[in-house]
Amino acid sequence: MCGVFGYTGKSVANDMVFQGLKRLEYRGYDSWGIAVNNDGKIQMFKDIGEIQEREGLKELPQTTTAIGHTRWATHGGVTVNNAHPHMATDDKFTLVQNGIVENFSQLKTKLEKLGYKFTTQTDTEVIVKLIEEQSKTTEDFEIAVKKAFKLLEGRNTIAILRINGDILAVRNGSPLVIGKGKDGIFLASDSLSFAPYTNDVVLLDDYDFVKISNGKLHIENVLTGKEKKIVVQKLKNTYTNIEKGKYEHFMIKEIVEQEKTIFNATEYTQTELKPLVQAIQEAHRVYVLGAGTAGFAAGQIAYFLRNIAKIDTQEVRSYEFNTYKNILKKDDLIIAVSQSGETADTIEVLEMAKKHGCKIASIVNMLGTTISRMSDFKYYTNAGPEICVASTKVFTAQCAWGYILAKTIVGELKEAKKNVTDLSNLLTKYFSEKTYSSIEKIAKVLKNKEHMFVLGKGENAYTALEGALKIKEISYKHIEGFAAGELKHGVIALVAKGTPVFGIISNDEDCKDLVSGMEQVRARGAMTIGIGDSKFSKLEVFDYFLVVPQVEEISNISNVIPFQLISYFLSKELGNNIDKPRNLAKSVTVK
Ligand code: F6R
């Protein structure tokens, strides 16, 4: 979703911001803009579509201070006019925002009554006009910004470029981090975007007001006015090299990386896991939550905790957690699952849980992000940057982490590590031309199908949901995942002659039920595709079968991989934008 990037320093700010925005692209956007300050004048360039060199952009004067933005439309269509930055009426400042002004219509109505004329449909323009209105009551522009900011409802982060060359920013809810490089200061939605220049960061808290003026950084709390001590932290794993390498797309690169990332996620020692193990054992109840793919990983982690560690665990989608608030107890433990660490739906639950006094643990991919910082027990998937919008390697890394956590609780960490290592080794062999060509064949068959279903049961129930989501996201095909038991209670009505139905099968107590579900759909003419243990590959019930490396207890992790590959090859076949599927954003920072 929206990305903010600002720079002031010795390098050409236009170029720094342009490159920064390119590195924020993966978050998802539909338009973009850059504003530079030159000789007491602000000049801007905005465009819709892909960030690329344009004539108008080249015409901007080269300066040492600039801000930029990638917009993911919420209020108002995708137009150049609605793209950020938004200029003040008197051209004295320009502003970018990440978030949603929830009281946008009330504020807009009030401002219109005061005579303000709006030229865009964005909620961002309301902030600009609000600052102008507050400026009437004070000579001090910074005070006007703070006063205006306090009137906003919702999770909003703003950055402002003034004609005097200052950059101001306020963070609330939506991410913002400072980078302190040798030759300049960065301000951005994530540290990855300035990673080639520095991994020295200043992490910001909600309501931090930032001023970067003449190369100096000042931070204070916008509510209390108290100055904040600037603490520079070094981020451990800064990934400067975000390249596709020999791969055509980030998605396939990230899928193949799973041979290593599943293992990396489990590189925790008993000592490192102990505080969380103890908290789980002492908790009244454990909730595991996330949204989208992370929500399915949460389901898988909860499955491991219940079935391996015998812990009373409930998985909940973050955006539905409110329905549990009346039974939430202070000795409940929340485990938040997130790639970005910035998902608004999840953060909102954590805020509520904190108020209840619950302890929070998290498994996050991106370092130094809000969810980790809110957590009493922080763990990282260590999967490296995931650039393709559709999550692949982080999903399996999160599941693998959940597995070793559950095994640690029952004193079997060593066995868990062996299993994960075995799986990693098997995957190295699995990612081969032979595998790709068998998947491509299936993808060609699926190309002309409009509706598909995925069945899984028990350990593979969440694999079915995630498998379907993966295909849906990039191929835009209608595909639904179900726990196989659901079939006869309704879903089967949708199965017609030729409808592709995937069945995920491991050598476990549920395999018979899965086979019988597949028999039922086949009897109604479905085209059946088995995914899983080679032991079942010759069963007549399957028209096609994709064999997946199996390691006992974690075959549900590897069983998702063919879906990732089908999603990739099918979308390639369809000519879709694989790494940046339509309408989706990588970091979902608004509700
Ligand atoms: C799908 C996908 C999304 C995210 C979801 C939560 O491939 O990536 O469904 O899983 O938006 O995001 P994070 O994991 O950043 O909390």
Side-chain angles (χ1 to χ4, degrees), residues 385-404:
E386 191 180 62
I387 302 301
C388 175
V389 167
S391 185
T392 53
K393 62 176 178 174
V394 173
F395 172 76
T396 48
Q398 286 162 340
C399 297
W401 174 85
Y403 172 64
I404 63 143

Side-chain angles (χ1 to χ4, degrees), residues 475-534:
S475 73
Y476 315 138
K477 294 277 183 193
H478 173 230
I479 173 162
E480 299 298 341
F482 294 97
E486 194 62 28
L487 188 68
K488 54 196 173 296
H489 300 291
V491 183
I492 202 158
L494 298 171
V495 175
K497 196 167 176 333
T499 307
V501 179
F502 294 90
I504 310 174
I505 186 157
S506 296
N507 188 19
D508 60 15
E509 60 184 2
D510 294 311
C511 61
K512 283 199 187 115
D513 287 352
L514 197 280
V515 169
S516 106
M518 295 306 283
E519 295 281 9
Q520 291 163 27
V521 293
R522 196 153 187 264
R524 282 149 186 91
M527 180 187 115
T528 54
I529 307 151
I531 292 207
D533 196 318
S534 61

Side-chain angles (χ1 to χ4, degrees), residues 535-558:
K535 186 177 162 204
F536 305 99
S537 63
K538 299 280 175 295
L539 291 188
E540 219 180 287
V541 69
F542 297 116
D543 297 320
Y544 300 88
F545 198 95
L546 295 171
V547 174
V548 191
Q550 305 282 296
V551 171
E552 208 186 326
E553 290 191 331
I554 45 174
S555 58
N556 52 358
I557 299 181
S558 47

Side-chain angles (χ1 to χ4, degrees), residues 291-294 338-340 343 389-391 470 473 588:
T293 289
S338 176
Q339 188 285 128
S340 64
T343 302
V389 167
S391 185
K470 221 51 349 154
E473 281 180 300
V588 188

Side-chain angles (χ1 to χ4, degrees), residues 194-475:
F194 53 70
Y197 309 102
T198 184
N199 59 356
D200 286 340
V201 300
V202 179
L203 301 176
L204 297 172
D205 294 305
D206 282 349
Y207 293 107
D208 274 351
F209 168 88
V210 177
K211 178 178 173 181
I212 308 170
S213 182
N214 293 320
K216 289 210 174 59
L217 176 65
H218 162 88
I219 306 174
E220 68 181 57
N221 182 286
V222 85
L223 303 176
T224 63
K226 228 175 118 191
E227 187 168 349
K228 183 170 157 170
K229 192 163 171 266
I230 291 166
V231 182
V232 180
Q233 302 185 33
K234 221 171 235 322
L235 284 188
K236 252 204 288 169
N237 297 323
T238 293
Y239 295 89
T240 50
N241 179 21
I242 304 179
E243 303 290 338
K244 283 185 235 160
K246 62 178 182 183
Y247 298 97
E248 200 181 337
H249 299 95
F250 280 108
M251 185 178 192
I252 188 71
K253 175 177 182 258
E254 289 160 7
I255 291 173
V256 175
E257 279 174 352
Q258 290 176 113
E259 62 191 21
K260 291 199 188 74
T261 51
I262 287 178
F263 177 79
N264 292 350
T266 63
E267 274 289 83
Y268 282 103
T269 61
Q270 181 105 27
T271 316
E272 286 163 332
L273 290 166
K274 199 173 162 199
L276 178 56
V277 167
Q278 213 165 342
I280 289 175
Q281 283 162 336
E282 285 165 8
H284 163 256
R285 193 176 205 199
V286 177
Y287 290 97
V288 194
L289 55 98
T293 289
F296 300 148
Q300 209 70 279
I301 294 169
Y303 168 85
F304 288 134
L305 288 176
R306 279 196 304 268
N307 290 280
I308 293 174
K310 304 190 176 48
I311 300 288
D312 179 357
T313 314
Q314 178 67 51
E315 63 270 32
V316 188
R317 308 290 157 78
S318 307
Y319 44 81
E320 282 298 314
F321 197 86
N322 251 347
T323 62
Y324 285 80
K325 71 167 184 259
N326 293 329
I327 58 163
L328 191 63
K329 297 205 165 41
K330 91 172 189 341
D331 44 3
D332 287 337
L333 172 80
I334 310 275
I335 303 180
V337 185
S338 176
Q339 188 285 128
S340 64
E342 298 293 353
T343 302
D345 290 324
T346 304
I347 292 172
E348 196 168 272
V349 180
L350 300 188
E351 285 165 352
M352 191 246 281
K354 261 192 183 301
K355 281 191 196 133
H356 271 73
C358 305
K359 285 264 183 292
I360 293 168
S362 61
I363 176 73
V364 169
N365 193 45
M366 295 288 277
L367 302 177
T369 48
T370 307
I371 292 176
S372 291
R373 294 174 67 209
M374 291 176 85
S375 306
D376 303 289
F377 311 100
K378 316 177 202 317
Y379 295 89
Y380 291 103
T381 37
N382 301 320
E386 191 180 62
I387 302 301
C388 175
V389 167
S391 185
T392 53
K393 62 176 178 174
V394 173
F395 172 76
T396 48
Q398 286 162 340
C399 297
W401 174 85
Y403 172 64
I404 63 143
L405 176 65
K407 290 289 269 185
T408 307
I409 294 172
V410 290
E412 293 173 6
L413 176 60
K414 211 167 147 205
E415 185 190 311
K417 290 212 171 188
K418 185 193 172 297
N419 287 346
V420 173
T421 310
D422 287 352
L423 184 61
S424 292
N425 292 338
L426 288 172
L427 286 177
T428 306
K429 289 192 203 111
Y430 176 71
F431 292 119
S432 64
E433 284 312 319
K434 191 173 157 232
T435 300
Y436 302 149
S437 77
S438 61
I439 302 258
E440 272 175 305
K441 259 185 230 151
I442 301 268
K444 284 198 168 70
V445 177
L446 300 178
K447 190 180 170 188
N448 299 315
K449 303 284 183 181
E450 280 315 314
H451 306 280
M452 310 179 216
F453 300 98
V454 188
L455 304 183
K457 187 168 165 63
E459 61 175 315
N460 285 311
Y462 276 97
T463 314
L465 301 183
E466 171 57 12
L469 177 64
K470 221 51 349 154
I471 294 180
K472 193 181 295 186
E473 281 180 300
I474 314 184
S475 73

